[in-house]
């Protein structure tokens, strides 16, 4: 517990620009490393368009590491299995309840595994869908219909789902959207520029919301 107390003091500095973002390297066999150009591209877009000064190369951290407390924003993605052990759960829960934020972008195929693991983190909480009037959709860029659709898979609508504590959004799960694919280099998915721009704008809204909340 001593390192938790020490790390909590870091959260006094969390909500200010100039901090670094990190990618969450989880267990279970899922491809946590997918979309390697996505977050660096989003960071560059944010620095150019919404006034952030984020370090351009995101770090990689594990759920059980005390390093996560150095980063106000963790990003998690992949297609497959996710598994949090007991140490991961305790550390991540402490991180989130102490002021940290986790964005999970489902790259298609994570949902059934992720919902199981989120129940370990917060057994008494449910994922709640964010309405289009939530502030995350109304930062520099306005999304009047909520989360945009970037890639089509099963014909389902995109959803922004969150877990809250005392009104604060701790965790955002973007589903049936594939924001990260839209953040990747243009040649990776050959998305039209308008689609990539929409994805980057929505991503920058998430960053702006977290750093200003």
């Amino acid at each position: 517990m001593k390192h938790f107390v020490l790390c909590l003091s870091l959260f006094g500095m969390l909500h200010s620009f100039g901090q670094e973002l990190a990618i969450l390297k989880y267990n279970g066999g899922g491809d946590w490393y997918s979309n390697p150009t996505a977050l660096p591209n989003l960071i560059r877009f944010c620095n150019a368009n919404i006034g952030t000064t984020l370090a351009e190369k995101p770090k990689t951290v594990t759920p059980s590491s005390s390093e996560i407390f150095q980063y106000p924003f963790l990003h998690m993605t992949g297609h497959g299995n996710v598994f949090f052990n007991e140490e991961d759960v305790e550390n991540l829960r402490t991180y989130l309840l102490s002021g940290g934020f986790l964005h999970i972008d489902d790259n298609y195929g994570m949902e059934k595994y992720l919902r199981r693991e989120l129940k370990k983190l917060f057994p008494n909480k449910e994922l709640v869908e964010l309405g289009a009037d939530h502030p995350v959709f109304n930062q520099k860029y306005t999304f009047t219909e909520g989360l945009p659709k970037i890639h089509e898979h099963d014909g389902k609508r995109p959803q922004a789902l969150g877990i809250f504590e005392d009104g604060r959004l701790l965790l955002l799960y973007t589903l049936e959207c594939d924001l990260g694919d839209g953040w990747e280099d243009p040649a990776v998915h050959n998305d039209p520029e308008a689609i990539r721009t929409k994805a980057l704008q929505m991503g920058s809204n998430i960053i702006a919301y977290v750093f200003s909340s």
Side-chain angles (χ1 to χ4, degrees), residues 4-194:
F4 287 149
V5 175
L6 177 62
C7 291
L8 293 183
S9 66
L10 293 169
F11 282 110
M13 302 181 290
L14 284 184
H15 297 296
S16 60
F17 292 128
Q19 299 289 333
E20 294 180 275
L21 311 185
I23 296 168
L24 195 66
K25 178 182 178 181
Y26 53 87
N27 293 315
D31 52 343
W32 62 268
Y33 46 81
S34 61
N35 291 354
T37 65
L39 206 54
N41 283 341
L42 177 61
I43 289 169
R44 283 190 287 272
F45 182 89
C46 289
N47 288 348
N49 292 278
I50 66 168
T52 53
T53 55
L54 302 167
E56 290 196 5
K57 186 175 181 181
K59 305 295 183 181
T60 298
V61 295
T62 58
S64 61
S65 171
S66 62
E67 288 183 90
I68 65 173
F69 292 89
Q70 300 175 39
Y71 306 101
F73 190 111
L74 300 180
H75 176 75
M76 176 178 171
T77 192
H79 296 83
N81 191 30
V82 177
F83 178 76
F84 296 145
N85 63 30
E86 195 172 311
E87 188 178 3
D88 295 336
V89 167
E90 182 182 358
N91 206 43
L92 264 180
R93 185 190 297 122
T94 300
Y95 166 82
L96 293 169
L97 292 175
S98 303
F101 183 87
L102 174 61
H103 173 222
I104 306 166
D105 188 50
D106 195 323
N107 207 0
Y108 190 62
M110 293 179 74
E111 185 178 11
K112 68 178 181 179
Y113 309 108
L114 183 66
R115 285 182 179 273
R116 177 195 65 206
E117 299 310 293
L118 292 182
K119 272 299 178 185
K120 294 180 184 177
L121 273 176
F122 297 107
N124 299 317
K125 293 183 182 293
E126 299 292 336
L127 285 165
V128 177
E129 185 164 7
L130 277 59
D133 60 344
H134 189 276
V136 76
F137 301 119
N138 296 277
Q139 297 293 312
K140 178 173 181 178
Y141 305 103
T142 300
F143 290 84
T144 57
E145 297 183 0
L147 192 68
K149 186 78 167 178
I150 304 304
H151 275 190
E152 188 64 66
H153 291 295
D154 294 330
K156 297 178 182 178
R157 66 183 180 88
Q159 289 184 281
L161 305 168
I163 290 178
F164 292 83
E165 173 74 9
D166 295 330
R168 184 177 76 85
L169 183 63
L170 310 178
L171 177 153
L172 177 66
Y173 176 36
T174 46
L175 176 65
E176 290 292 334
C177 169
D178 268 354
L179 280 176
D181 282 3
W183 301 343
E184 285 238 78
D185 287 348
V188 177
H189 299 288
N190 296 311
D191 288 327
E193 188 59 29

